[in-house]
Amino acid sequence: VSKIYRVFFINRYYKKTYRYLMPVFKDIPVRELSPAMIIESIKEFKLTIKTIRNALIPLRAVIDIALIDEIISKNPLDNIILSKLVNKE
């Protein structure tokens, strides 16, 4: 992977993480995340589905690591269907 691509990737998701995810999830341990908590936050974002998907990429990565490390046994994002949560305006 080229250095330019890595810098682009880091900058893009760093901004999304700190703009959308950190205010909501920064003090919540990954083992305490629930689908209901994530759904409630998604509904408050007032963003397009594409932007929400992009914002959730870092959270998915953290959850994937927690699954691999056996900190959690189930992914709280698995059964969340964004198209049912986001208004198509």
Side-chain angles (χ1 to χ4, degrees):
V1 178
S2 73
K3 185 176 181 179
I4 293 171
Y5 179 77
R6 282 184 293 198
V7 169
F8 171 77
F9 181 83
I10 290 168
N11 284 338
R12 181 176 180 177
Y13 293 108
Y14 179 86
K15 289 176 185 176
K16 297 227 183 288
T17 300
Y18 280 88
R19 187 169 185 187
Y20 302 115
L21 299 180
M22 291 301 284
V24 178
F25 299 113
K26 69 179 178 185
D27 295 325
I28 302 168
V30 70
R31 69 173 51 97
E32 292 180 18
L33 285 176
S34 69
M37 186 183 305
I38 296 168
I39 288 168
E40 182 180 321
S41 300
I42 289 170
K43 286 180 178 179
E44 292 177 13
F45 283 159
K46 307 289 187 228
L47 302 168
T48 65
I49 292 174
K50 174 76 172 153
T51 303
I52 293 170
R53 280 194 182 111
N54 287 340
L56 291 176
I57 288 172
L59 182 60
R60 281 189 194 283
V62 169
I63 290 170
D64 287 344
I65 292 168
L67 285 164
I68 291 167
D69 290 345
E70 298 179 354
I71 295 169
I72 59 175
S73 60
K74 188 174 180 185
N75 186 336
L77 290 169
D78 276 350
N79 295 320
I80 295 175
I81 301 170
L82 291 179
S83 61
K84 291 185 178 182
L85 300 175
V86 179
N87 289 335
K88 297 174 186 167
E89 298 176 346

